[in-house]
Amino acid sequence: MTVYVALLRAINVGGTGKLPMTELKAVCEKLGFSDVKTYIQSGNVLFRAEEAEAEVEQRLDDALGTLLGKKPGVMLRSRKELEAIVANAPFPDAKPNYLLVTFLPKAAPEDTLDGMVAPDGEEAIVAGREIYVNFPIGSGKSKLKLPALKRGTARNMNTVRKLAEMAAALEAG
C-alpha cells in the first residue's frame, strides 16, 4: 500500500469550513484508508491506500465535499515528493516559518509569476506543482498579490518537514 500525505485547501483557516481532525480521520477510515494520522488543525492527513493517487484524491475530495457542502480541494504528495520539496527549497536564508510552499493540483503554467505584486520584498519560485514564496515580513503582514496561490494550499517549511518525517515513519512502520 502507498503512503499518501493529503493537504486540504481552506480548512480551519478560512474558506470552506471547520473540520475537526477527528472527523477528517473518520472520513479517511470510512473510505478504507489505513494507518490514518492527522497533523495540526489545518487539514493535513497521512494514510495508506491501495488506489492510485488520482483516485484517492478524487474519493477524498468527494467525501469531504459531501460532509462540508463544498469540495475543499485535496492535493496528495508522497514522502519522496515532500523530501524533494524540502531538499530543493530556494531562499536558504529564509526563516522556515516565513518560507511557504503552495501545493497546487497540477503543474503551474510558465507565466504563473507574471504580474506578481510583491511590495514587501517577497520572492517566489515555481517548481512543478509547487510555488515557494519567501515572506520576509511574514505572510500575515504581506501585501503579496499572486493569483496562482488561490488554486492551492500553503504550508510553511517547518510543516512540510514534519509531514515528510511522519510519512517516512509511516512507511517504515
Side-chain angles (χ1 to χ4, degrees):
M1 279 207 265
T2 304
V3 171
Y4 292 107
V5 178
L7 305 141
L8 282 57
R9 189 175 164 277
I11 295 294
N12 295 343
V13 289
T16 304
K18 297 285 184 186
L19 178 64
M21 294 301 97
T22 53
E23 282 187 45
L24 176 57
K25 182 176 181 181
V27 167
C28 291
E29 289 171 343
K30 186 176 180 182
L31 290 170
F33 305 154
S34 61
D35 298 323
V36 180
K37 298 180 183 344
T38 61
Y39 178 67
I40 62 178
Q41 293 294 316
S42 59
N44 306 299
V45 61
L46 300 88
F47 51 82
R48 294 179 191 276
E50 297 275 351
E51 300 88 2
E53 180 178 311
E55 184 179 344
V56 171
E57 207 169 65
Q58 186 66 51
R59 288 181 60 219
L60 182 54
D61 205 25
D62 289 347
L64 292 170
T66 299
L67 178 68
L68 299 169
K70 179 182 176 188
K71 293 181 183 182
V74 175
M75 275 55 79
L76 291 185
R77 298 298 187 270
S78 68
R79 171 193 55 82
K80 287 181 181 180
E81 287 173 311
L82 292 176
E83 288 174 349
I85 289 164
V86 171
N88 298 319
F91 317 118
D93 297 328
K95 296 177 186 174
N97 56 326
Y98 284 26
L99 177 54
L100 271 62
V101 178
T102 297
F103 296 87
L104 303 170
K106 59 184 179 183
E110 288 189 26
D111 65 351
T112 295
L113 300 181
D114 292 357
M116 180 173 96
V117 178
D120 300 306
E122 299 88 352
E123 302 171 278
I125 291 183
V126 176
R129 296 190 298 168
E130 286 78 39
I131 302 172
Y132 296 88
V133 181
N134 178 25
F135 291 93
I137 64 167
S139 62
K141 296 177 186 175
S142 173
K143 303 284 190 264
L144 174 72
K145 290 186 178 40
L146 182 55
L149 299 178
K150 291 182 175 145
R151 294 191 304 262
T153 186
R155 302 295 185 273
N156 72 39
M157 192 53 64
N158 289 329
T159 299
V160 176
R161 277 191 189 108
K162 181 63 177 176
L163 291 170
E165 290 170 12
M166 291 175 70
L170 191 54
E171 284 182 0

Short mmCIF file of all heavy atoms in Angstrom, two decimals, residues 77 103-112 126-131 151:
data_model
loop_
_atom_site.label_atom_id
_atom_site.label_comp_id
_atom_site.label_asym_id
_atom_site.label_seq_id
_atom_site.Cartn_x
_atom_site.Cartn_y
_atom_site.Cartn_z
N ARG A 77 0.60 14.21 -1.92
CA ARG A 77 2.03 14.11 -2.19
C ARG A 77 2.56 12.87 -1.48
O ARG A 77 2.05 12.45 -0.44
CB ARG A 77 2.79 15.35 -1.70
CG ARG A 77 2.39 16.67 -2.36
CD ARG A 77 2.66 16.69 -3.85
NE ARG A 77 2.45 17.99 -4.46
CZ ARG A 77 1.29 18.42 -4.96
NH1 ARG A 77 0.22 17.66 -4.92
NH2 ARG A 77 1.21 19.62 -5.50
N PHE A 103 0.98 24.16 -2.49
CA PHE A 103 0.79 22.91 -3.23
C PHE A 103 -0.38 23.12 -4.19
O PHE A 103 -1.46 23.52 -3.77
CB PHE A 103 0.49 21.76 -2.26
CG PHE A 103 1.64 21.47 -1.35
CD1 PHE A 103 1.78 22.16 -0.15
CD2 PHE A 103 2.58 20.52 -1.68
CE1 PHE A 103 2.85 21.90 0.70
CE2 PHE A 103 3.65 20.25 -0.85
CZ PHE A 103 3.79 20.94 0.34
N LEU A 104 -0.14 22.84 -5.46
CA LEU A 104 -1.15 23.03 -6.50
C LEU A 104 -1.68 21.69 -6.99
O LEU A 104 -0.98 20.67 -6.90
CB LEU A 104 -0.54 23.79 -7.68
CG LEU A 104 0.07 25.15 -7.37
CD1 LEU A 104 0.84 25.68 -8.58
CD2 LEU A 104 -1.00 26.14 -6.94
N PRO A 105 -2.90 21.68 -7.54
CA PRO A 105 -3.43 20.41 -8.05
C PRO A 105 -2.72 19.89 -9.29
O PRO A 105 -2.72 18.69 -9.56
CB PRO A 105 -4.90 20.74 -8.35
CG PRO A 105 -5.02 22.21 -8.35
CD PRO A 105 -3.86 22.76 -7.59
N LYS A 106 -2.11 20.80 -10.07
CA LYS A 106 -1.34 20.38 -11.24
C LYS A 106 -0.21 21.38 -11.45
O LYS A 106 -0.17 22.44 -10.81
CB LYS A 106 -2.23 20.28 -12.48
CG LYS A 106 -2.92 21.56 -12.85
CD LYS A 106 -3.86 21.34 -14.02
CE LYS A 106 -4.56 22.65 -14.36
NZ LYS A 106 -5.51 22.52 -15.42
N ALA A 107 0.69 21.04 -12.33
CA ALA A 107 1.86 21.89 -12.57
C ALA A 107 1.42 23.30 -12.97
O ALA A 107 0.48 23.47 -13.76
CB ALA A 107 2.75 21.29 -13.65
N ALA A 108 2.13 24.27 -12.45
CA ALA A 108 1.83 25.67 -12.73
C ALA A 108 2.31 26.03 -14.13
O ALA A 108 3.36 25.58 -14.57
CB ALA A 108 2.52 26.56 -11.70
N PRO A 109 1.54 26.86 -14.85
CA PRO A 109 1.99 27.29 -16.17
C PRO A 109 3.22 28.19 -16.07
O PRO A 109 3.50 28.76 -15.00
CB PRO A 109 0.79 28.08 -16.73
CG PRO A 109 -0.16 28.25 -15.63
CD PRO A 109 0.23 27.36 -14.50
N GLU A 110 3.94 28.31 -17.16
CA GLU A 110 5.19 29.08 -17.16
C GLU A 110 4.99 30.54 -16.80
O GLU A 110 5.89 31.17 -16.26
CB GLU A 110 5.89 28.96 -18.52
CG GLU A 110 6.50 27.59 -18.74
CD GLU A 110 7.37 27.54 -19.97
OE1 GLU A 110 7.90 28.58 -20.39
OE2 GLU A 110 7.52 26.43 -20.51
N ASP A 111 3.82 31.09 -17.08
CA ASP A 111 3.58 32.51 -16.82
C ASP A 111 3.00 32.77 -15.42
O ASP A 111 2.50 33.86 -15.14
CB ASP A 111 2.65 33.09 -17.88
CG ASP A 111 1.25 32.48 -17.85
OD1 ASP A 111 1.03 31.49 -17.13
OD2 ASP A 111 0.37 33.01 -18.57
N THR A 112 3.09 31.80 -14.53
CA THR A 112 2.48 31.90 -13.20
C THR A 112 2.90 33.15 -12.44
O THR A 112 2.10 33.75 -11.74
CB THR A 112 2.81 30.64 -12.38
OG1 THR A 112 2.18 29.53 -13.01
CG2 THR A 112 2.31 30.74 -10.95
N VAL A 126 8.55 29.00 -8.96
CA VAL A 126 7.66 27.92 -9.33
C VAL A 126 8.50 26.66 -9.58
O VAL A 126 9.54 26.72 -10.24
CB VAL A 126 6.87 28.27 -10.61
CG1 VAL A 126 6.01 27.10 -11.07
CG2 VAL A 126 6.02 29.50 -10.38
N ALA A 127 8.04 25.55 -9.03
CA ALA A 127 8.72 24.27 -9.23
C ALA A 127 7.66 23.18 -9.43
O ALA A 127 7.20 22.56 -8.48
CB ALA A 127 9.60 23.94 -8.03
N GLY A 128 7.22 23.02 -10.66
CA GLY A 128 6.22 21.99 -10.96
C GLY A 128 4.88 22.27 -10.32
O GLY A 128 4.24 23.28 -10.63
N ARG A 129 4.47 21.39 -9.40
CA ARG A 129 3.17 21.54 -8.73
C ARG A 129 3.27 22.35 -7.44
O ARG A 129 2.34 22.37 -6.65
CB ARG A 129 2.57 20.17 -8.39
CG ARG A 129 2.24 19.33 -9.61
CD ARG A 129 1.43 18.09 -9.26
NE ARG A 129 2.13 17.19 -8.37
CZ ARG A 129 1.55 16.17 -7.74
NH1 ARG A 129 0.26 15.93 -7.89
NH2 ARG A 129 2.25 15.38 -6.95
N GLU A 130 4.41 23.03 -7.23
CA GLU A 130 4.59 23.83 -6.03
C GLU A 130 5.06 25.23 -6.38
O GLU A 130 5.75 25.43 -7.38
CB GLU A 130 5.60 23.20 -5.07
CG GLU A 130 5.08 21.99 -4.33
CD GLU A 130 5.04 20.72 -5.16
OE1 GLU A 130 5.97 20.48 -5.95
OE2 GLU A 130 4.04 19.98 -5.02
N ILE A 131 4.70 26.17 -5.53
CA ILE A 131 5.24 27.52 -5.60
C ILE A 131 5.83 27.82 -4.23
O ILE A 131 5.14 27.74 -3.22
CB ILE A 131 4.16 28.58 -5.92
CG1 ILE A 131 3.46 28.26 -7.25
CG2 ILE A 131 4.78 29.98 -5.96
CD1 ILE A 131 2.26 29.15 -7.53
N ARG A 151 -5.30 28.78 -6.05
CA ARG A 151 -5.66 27.44 -6.54
C ARG A 151 -5.13 26.33 -5.64
O ARG A 151 -5.52 25.17 -5.78
CB ARG A 151 -5.14 27.24 -7.95
CG ARG A 151 -5.80 28.13 -8.98
CD ARG A 151 -5.46 27.72 -10.40
NE ARG A 151 -4.03 27.67 -10.65
CZ ARG A 151 -3.33 28.63 -11.24
NH1 ARG A 151 -3.92 29.74 -11.61
NH2 ARG A 151 -2.05 28.49 -11.45
#
